[in-house]
Amino acid sequence: MNSIAKSVLQSVKHGRAPWLRNSSAHSGKQRFRRLVLGIETSCDDTGAAVVDESGCVLGEALHCQKEVHLQTGGIIPVVAQQLHRENIEQVVQEALRASGVSLAELAAVATTVKPGLALSLGVGLQYSLSLVNRHQKPFIPIHHMEAHALTIRLTHHLEFPFLVLLISGGHCLLAVAQGVSDFLLLGQSMDIAPGDMLDKVARRLSLRKHPECHSMAGGKAIEHLAQTGNQELLTFRLPMQQYRNCDFSFSGLQNLVNNAIVQKEKEEGIQEGEILSCVKDVAAAVQHAVTVHIIQRTYRAMLFCIKNSILPSKNATLVLSGGVASNQYIRKGLQNLADANDFALLCPPPRLCTDNGVMIAWNGIERLRAGLGVLHSTAGIRYEPRAPLGIDISKRVEEESIKVPKLKKIRWLAS
């Protein structure tokens, strides 16, 4: 183990999920339910879980690398890879012990193979292939974004189709889930993801030096400070207003924010690395701009889906997932948007919005039940750092040029 990892290595956290419906892994009919082990290493969290086909989470474990990457100011792929290597065996064994299930009892092993950091994906795939080949188990390769999208079906009884908004540190997309492994991609980020942007703004603002935020990840620090900031102090031009599609862009907005920070530093006579007196106002304005951009694109997706009968005109559902889904300001804005358009808004519990083994195991269950992508030979299986989700119909969305009604100043977001 390298010296950095030693100093910040966290103990593996495990335990039964709060929505567990049958706490005994070996009672009665439970013995005959198919069980899937899920393994997740797409970015910086090493996760594993055992889930049965009724949705019971029998055991899980997670090793989080957050403290390591907070120290270095961002995820360094080779460091993430090393930490996955050091912890994957312990995490998988901990999940199995917590579940009371042996490898022999598993129906399959499901593992994230796309998309994600290449070095991280490689660790999970190599370990999983060794496991399935040694124990002669079927292997289910998992698309990370599909797993995020379908997690809601573990926690809620939800039928297809439904609209999905996935927002995280590495991804941002809108899609319609029509079935397991059946998605229509309406739009996605053309550059960076919202979580990545918020983290970069937090670093530029040196929020780790702020007494209220020294132990917080960047996006969480922005959200915390924004609660007591004045979002109207700064106004940022919203991205892609000239394009009537469902794509997102956050890099241009980040540049505007950086320029505004430079200007404020000049006005206050401070150097980069020092804390602005108006830092809370900057955080509030940035969070607000990100939220309005997300809401506008989601609004267009709703209108497109209803117009084309892709979703029901009444009682349709918007599913929100991914790490940024835990931001309460963004969630409240989307809740108001959903309410105004007769959509239900559903979101998994916060701990299942971030990367974890449970969502991978559940996606494995969904695919096992549907008979999709269950491999009995792993020859030729590869990881894919970049991988689209479903059928891309974003051009069709743009061609329809749907105008989004004004959102009434958006002040209701903060109410």
Side-chain angles (χ1 to χ4, degrees):
M1 183 183 295
N2 61 45
S3 59
I4 297 177
K6 279 182 180 178
S7 66
V8 294
L9 187 63
Q10 297 180 325
S11 61
V12 175
K13 298 177 182 179
H14 70 276
R16 298 187 187 280
W19 51 88
L20 189 62
R21 291 184 286 273
N22 185 341
S23 61
S24 174
H26 295 290
S27 63
K29 295 180 181 178
Q30 182 102 351
R31 287 180 179 274
F32 305 106
R33 291 177 186 165
R34 290 181 294 181
L35 310 169
V36 169
L37 168 67
I39 298 175
E40 157 63 20
T41 64
S42 68
C43 190
D44 61 335
D45 288 336
T46 311
V50 177
V51 176
D52 76 8
E53 61 185 318
S54 70
C56 291
V57 180
L58 305 180
E60 59 177 312
L62 181 71
H63 176 265
C64 180
Q65 302 177 9
K66 182 181 81 168
E67 291 301 324
V68 174
H69 302 300
L70 274 176
Q71 288 190 3
T72 58
I75 296 172
I76 300 174
V78 292
V79 174
Q81 178 191 45
Q82 180 62 22
L83 290 170
H84 283 308
R85 283 175 174 164
E86 292 169 1
N87 291 285
I88 191 167
E89 174 73 22
Q90 181 184 3
V91 168
V92 170
Q93 292 305 318
E94 193 67 34
L96 288 168
R97 278 196 297 271
S99 70
V101 169
S102 69
L103 281 162
E105 295 175 89
L106 297 174
V109 174
T111 303
T112 307
V113 300
K114 60 184 177 182
L117 297 178
L119 296 179
S120 295
L121 289 169
V123 175
L125 181 58
Q126 182 180 29
Y127 180 88
S128 299
L129 293 184
S130 173
L131 202 64
V132 298
N133 290 332
R134 191 163 67 247
H135 295 274
Q136 295 296 295
K137 294 293 178 181
F139 181 64
I140 308 176
I142 298 297
H143 191 298
H144 186 75
M145 305 315 290
E146 178 182 307
H148 270 307
L150 297 184
T151 300
I152 196 68
R153 283 167 49 86
L154 169 67
T155 60
H156 296 73
H157 180 73
L158 179 62
E159 299 295 332
F160 298 111
F162 51 87
L163 180 63
V164 180
L165 171 62
L166 300 180
I167 44 177
S168 69
H171 303 278
C172 183
L173 63 84
L174 279 160
V176 176
Q178 299 188 120
V180 178
S181 192
D182 182 6
F183 290 83
L184 298 176
L185 181 64
L186 306 179
Q188 60 189 322
S189 178
M190 306 308 292
D191 36 62
I192 63 175
D196 185 24
M197 181 212 152
L198 292 171
D199 285 345
K200 287 176 177 175
V201 170
R203 286 199 293 274
R204 181 60 183 81
L205 289 169
S206 301
L207 295 190
R208 288 214 71 202
K209 296 180 181 178
H210 195 287
E212 297 177 28
C213 306
H214 64 89
S215 63
M216 294 181 183
K220 191 65 181 173
I222 293 285
E223 181 183 6
H224 173 74
L225 294 178
Q227 291 176 348
T228 51
N230 178 8
Q231 68 188 39
E232 296 182 355
L233 179 72
L234 291 169
T235 301
F236 298 110
R237 186 176 70 252
L238 295 175
M240 301 184 72
Q241 292 297 287
Q242 70 273 37
Y243 299 109
R244 292 186 180 179
N245 57 31
C246 289
D247 290 327
F248 303 84
S249 174
F250 296 95
S251 62
L253 180 57
Q254 182 192 327
N255 289 335
L256 291 176
V257 173
N258 287 344
N259 292 338
I261 293 171
V262 170
Q263 182 59 37
K264 289 296 179 183
E265 287 171 342
K266 288 179 180 177
E267 291 174 6
E268 296 188 12
I270 66 173
Q271 299 294 316
E272 180 177 341
E274 298 180 73
I275 302 295
L276 287 167
S277 64
C278 62
V279 66
K280 293 184 177 181
D281 302 325
V282 175
V286 170
Q287 180 178 251
H288 184 72
V290 168
T291 301
V292 176
H293 181 44
I294 290 172
I295 287 175
Q296 286 184 339
R297 311 322 264 189
T298 305
Y299 197 174
R300 181 172 287 114
M302 289 175 167
L303 296 174
F304 174 82
C305 289
I306 297 301
K307 178 183 176 183
N308 291 278
S309 300
I310 297 172
L311 293 174
S313 59
K314 296 289 184 182
N315 302 316
T317 298
L318 169 64
V319 169
L320 173 63
S321 193
V324 180
S326 63
N327 182 295
Q328 293 302 307
Y329 187 82
I330 293 174
R331 192 184 294 200
K332 183 172 183 180
L334 289 165
Q335 183 66 67
N336 287 334
L337 176 68
D339 291 344
N341 289 276
D342 199 24
F343 270 67
L345 178 69
L346 295 180
C347 188
R351 61 186 294 277
L352 291 185
C353 285
T354 53
D355 296 347
N356 60 85
V358 173
M359 72 180 196
I360 305 305
W362 174 249
N363 197 175
I365 289 289
E366 291 262 37
R367 284 180 161 267
L368 193 65
R369 291 193 306 201
L372 295 169
V374 182
L375 307 180
H376 295 275
S377 170
T378 57
I381 189 73
R382 299 285 186 271
Y383 60 81
E384 301 174 49
R386 292 182 175 273
L389 178 67
I391 300 171
D392 188 344
I393 64 167
S394 58
K395 294 298 183 187
R396 180 181 160 197
V397 175
E398 187 163 22
E399 286 168 1
E400 297 219 2
S401 191
I402 296 174
K403 184 177 180 180
V404 173
K406 293 206 171 180
L407 297 172
K408 297 181 181 177
K409 287 198 171 183
I410 316 284
R411 290 192 178 177
W412 43 269
L413 281 170
S415 60

